[in-house]
Amino acid sequence: MIDTFIGFDPWLQALIATLFTWIMTGVGAAVVFLTKEVNEKFLDMMLGFAGGVMIAASFWSLLAPAIENSQDHSIGEWFPAAVGFLLGGLFIYAFDKLIPHTHRDGPDGRKEGLGAEGQRRSTLLVFSITLHNIPEGLAIGIAFGALASNADPMAVAVGATTLALGIGIQNVPEGMAVSMPLRGEGMSRTKSFFFGWMSGIVEPIAAVIGILAISFMSPILPYALALAAGAMLFVVVEEVIPSTQKNGHSDLAVICLMLGFTLMMILDVALG
């Protein structure tokens, strides 16, 4: 089956992989049909787990390959990874200032981004998770885009598939992080599920953008891989981890973060 998958064009592989991650977002959002109330403890644990997966993926699936693909760089193999990583953080920082959104359990209901004050909180919650999904989709697209410029397509395809699997797993709590608060604000279960699921639709779009960029500018591959890593880590440190530390469940959230990191590390090392 993996041989058949590898036989597809890289853009189609990336599209299939991100459709899987989008479906997993829907799986998480569907939890709203099973419970009446937001279980903050469980949500903090799951978001901690998601943060661990994202941190591990940033290194094992993105930064390490960026360094490996820069062995012949004139300045040093560290240069593309360092530059791309910092640009990734700046990329999400700019989006964070432009896109109207609010953070779960943010201080005093603070709203951020252009025009945020005129938006409903439910809309801003959806935009917040949508912002998270942009670097994840880019990461998958860039990872599969590496197939065209790598001498070992099987290894790259397995590594990219592992990345998609890890992101799919951590998308479950991200879907919950949208649908459950929306339900808590009085929105119907169906609408809460719909908006929770739709928050992940940007992943396939971002993946196609990522793979197109690599297809036309293959020399930027190490920079692009590191950029995706920097963007993902910015999201984890700026939003995911802080949101798990405000409801008295910080120790459990950290334990789950370590479990998520360990799982993603095992998947990437064992399969990639």
Side-chain angles (χ1 to χ4, degrees):
M1 188 173 183
I2 186 68
D3 291 335
T4 302
F5 182 66
I6 291 176
F8 295 151
D9 289 334
W11 70 267
L12 182 57
Q13 294 172 336
L15 182 60
I16 292 171
T18 47
L19 286 175
F20 161 73
T21 62
W22 180 41
I23 290 171
M24 294 299 284
T25 303
V27 170
V31 173
V32 76
F33 292 112
L34 305 177
T35 181
K36 295 181 180 180
E37 298 180 354
V38 179
N39 188 322
E40 296 289 352
K41 181 178 180 179
F42 180 68
L43 195 53
D44 286 344
M45 292 171 62
M46 291 298 290
L47 285 173
F49 181 87
V53 170
M54 292 175 71
I55 293 171
S58 295
F59 176 74
W60 298 102
S61 299
L62 297 168
L63 274 179
I67 294 171
E68 290 173 6
N69 279 275
S70 306
Q71 300 294 325
D72 299 325
H73 195 277
S74 58
I75 296 178
E77 59 188 23
W78 54 268
F79 183 79
V83 172
F85 185 79
L86 294 175
L87 287 177
L90 288 174
F91 172 73
I92 295 299
Y93 175 79
F95 267 77
D96 194 60
K97 296 303 178 185
L98 293 174
I99 297 178
H101 66 284
T102 189
H103 298 299
R104 172 180 170 256
D105 295 327
D108 302 321
R110 185 180 63 192
K111 300 176 180 180
E112 301 178 12
L114 298 179
E117 292 302 324
Q119 300 290 336
R120 296 174 59 184
R121 174 174 164 79
S122 57
T123 301
L124 296 176
L125 281 171
V126 175
F127 283 170
S128 178
I129 300 299
T130 301
L131 178 63
H132 293 186
N133 288 327
I134 293 173
E136 295 167 11
L138 281 173
I140 293 173
I142 292 167
F144 279 103
L147 285 169
S149 58
N150 199 286
D152 189 354
M154 173 66 81
V156 176
V158 172
T161 303
T162 303
L163 173 64
L165 177 61
I167 289 177
I169 292 171
Q170 67 91 35
N171 272 4
V172 174
E174 288 197 349
M176 292 170 53
V178 178
S179 66
M180 295 301 292
L182 293 182
R183 177 58 180 163
E185 292 188 359
M187 188 177 288
S188 71
R189 283 187 172 88
T190 301
K191 284 187 176 180
S192 298
F193 164 73
F194 176 78
F195 287 116
W197 191 16
M198 288 302 106
S199 68
I201 191 61
V202 296
E203 284 196 8
I205 299 171
V208 171
I209 293 173
I211 200 167
L212 286 175
I214 293 302
S215 298
F216 289 105
M217 297 176 288
S218 58
I220 71 168
L221 175 60
Y223 296 91
L225 287 167
L227 183 144
M232 287 177 64
L233 200 60
F234 185 98
V235 167
V236 173
V237 176
E238 197 264 347
E239 164 62 9
V240 177
I241 293 177
S243 73
T244 67
Q245 305 294 301
K246 300 173 182 178
N247 299 306
H249 312 129
S250 58
D251 288 345
L252 283 173
V254 171
I255 291 171
C256 289
L257 183 146
M258 295 183 70
L259 291 174
F261 183 97
T262 303
L263 175 63
M264 188 61 201
M265 178 181 66
I266 292 171
L267 286 174
D268 212 309
V269 175
L271 300 180

